[in-house]
Amino acid sequence: MDLNTEALAYHSTPVAGKLHVIPSKPCATQHDLALAYTPGVAKPCLEIKDHPVDVFRYTGKGNTVAVVSDGTAVLGLGNIGPEAGLPVMEGKCVLFKRFAGIDAMPLCLTKVFGADGKTDAKKLIDAVETLEPTFGGINLEDIAAPACFEVETTLKKRMGIPVFHDDQHGTAIISLAALLNAAKLTGKKLSEMKVVGNGAGAAGLSCLEFYITAGVLRENVVVCDSKGVVTAATASNSAKRALATSRTDVHSLADAMKGADVFLGCSVANCVTEEMVRSMASGAVVFAMANPTPEIMPDLAKKAGAAVVGTGRTDFPNQINNVLGFPGIFRGALDVRATDITQNMQLAASYALAEIAQLPVEGEIREILTAAYPEDAAAGVFDGKNPLKESYVIPKPFDPRVVPHVARFVAEAAMKDGVAKLTIDDLDGYEAEVARRIRG
């Protein structure tokens, strides 16, 4: 069976879709029914009415996230609509549960579009804002730029629960972690790196801005879109204008890559040549993250002299996979009942991931990773007291240390930023407890 046929079978049998709703309490007797619904349910309702914060005590709100999309920028498929985007949102909910024990609900919204078929930011904002009583957090997904920037920014201001657009920040957080470790291997400082981004959508622009927050200098960044190098004269929106270059010596992606230390691809397949990579500085880092086919295949980038190569695919080294981020980020945010996911919380997630890739892979962790990634284990990817190497600058999604470690760093940052309503005094104990909780 080929992958497409297998995927259709996976999604359609033995039942349609990938999710069930399963009760967390027994409902097998008349007495159980009286507790779960009328008349017993009236008591927690009245308690919450008198003490609204008790919604976290008597309902599942504190462990529930809405995965919200309008289907305008789905994976590499584009504006395919909310119904067609639903399998992706269901998949995201599966990952929330599998990796972080978080209950997530897919919500694909319609009637939030303008006459041109594109996202009407105000309509989407008004719809999502109404969800706050039910959910502990909002994960925005696959909403096209530039509307996605306004949607997230406005909802973060209006809502008292965490709002996170994973297409923007997820890729940024994971790729920054990989870049931090690549910088260690190549002996370069972020402030010295010249960075070229190809792709000026939500992910590409957000990655570059996040790198600047972490230490890359704005003047050392050049971004290209489908029309070429973005300048003040060609920038079509404020997000692009913020990254427009003032350089007059670059007119194409090939020009921009000459002497660059980092290539960040959030664009289209096969748009980078070996010659372009050869023109980069020594110790070049190439993150070619177009899916399913990267901007340049890893073997070609390595052959052309790249020191570290990452992609968005599972079958190549250094997969920049958002599942390394959002489960642990929301786990930490929910556990301290954060009202926001701040920039410092996002940076903390990157530092946590970078740290994991430098920790020895031993004992049970070794067994788990060997079972999940037998070829990598056989190739020595996990070997060494500090296993950091050009083929391992970012941890693997099935590393059980990822979510607890990210959650711990995020929770700590939330407390420092003053957005946490609960306090965790023993962070070591909390990290261990998250690990136990996820294992079940």
Side-chain angles (χ1 to χ4, degrees), residues 6 20 26 80 116 125 153-154 184 186 211-212 218 267 276 291 302 309 358 382 427-428 432 435:
E6 191 175 0
H20 286 304
I80 61 174
D116 58 0
I125 290 164
T153 299
T154 304
K184 284 182 180 290
T186 59
Y211 299 170
I212 290 168
R218 189 174 295 273
S267 52
M276 291 181 188
N291 268 319
K302 292 289 289 183
V309 181
Q358 300 175 57
F382 308 123
L427 288 166
D428 288 339

Side-chain angles (χ1 to χ4, degrees), residues 67-72 79-86 89 106-114 117-128 130-131 143:
V67 177
V68 179
S69 179
D70 63 2
T72 53
N79 188 355
I80 61 174
E83 292 87 357
L86 185 55
M89 306 316 133
L107 298 177
C108 290
L109 305 182
T110 191
K111 299 184 180 179
V112 293
F113 311 110
K118 297 180 179 179
T119 304
D120 183 320
K122 183 180 184 305
K123 289 181 180 178
L124 186 54
I125 290 164
D126 289 345
V128 176
T130 65
L131 302 175
I143 301 165

Side-chain angles (χ1 to χ4, degrees), residues 106-174:
L107 298 177
C108 290
L109 305 182
T110 191
K111 299 184 180 179
V112 293
F113 311 110
D116 58 0
K118 297 180 179 179
T119 304
D120 183 320
K122 183 180 184 305
K123 289 181 180 178
L124 186 54
I125 290 164
D126 289 345
V128 176
E129 189 179 9
T130 65
L131 302 175
E132 186 166 350
T134 302
F135 295 96
I138 304 292
N139 184 104
L140 301 172
E141 194 79 15
D142 294 346
I143 301 165
C148 63
F149 301 119
E150 180 183 351
V151 170
E152 187 198 40
T153 299
T154 304
L155 288 173
K156 284 169 76 72
K157 292 177 181 176
R158 290 189 186 179
M159 301 183 78
I161 57 176
V163 177
F164 183 78
H165 184 205
D166 191 47
D167 299 297
Q168 289 185 59
H169 309 301
T171 304
I173 289 165
I174 312 312

Side-chain angles (χ1 to χ4, degrees), residues 16 76 89 96 107 129 156 174 198 201 204 232 236 250 280-281 296 389 408 420 433:
M89 306 316 133
F96 265 112
L107 298 177
E129 189 179 9
K156 284 169 76 72
I174 312 312
N198 195 49
S236 58
V250 289
M280 296 176 72
I296 181 170
K389 54 181 68 72
R408 179 234 180 95
E433 186 270 331

Side-chain angles (χ1 to χ4, degrees), residues 355-371 373 376-377 380-389 392 394-396 398-401:
E355 185 171 280
I356 292 169
Q358 300 175 57
L359 299 176
V361 179
E362 299 171 337
E364 183 185 11
I365 304 299
R366 182 79 178 210
E367 294 175 7
I368 291 170
L369 291 180
T370 297
Y373 308 98
D376 286 327
V381 169
F382 308 123
D383 293 350
K385 186 175 182 181
N386 180 346
L388 183 65
K389 54 181 68 72
Y392 184 68
I394 192 77
K396 299 288 188 178
F398 284 105
D399 188 328
R401 299 171 298 180

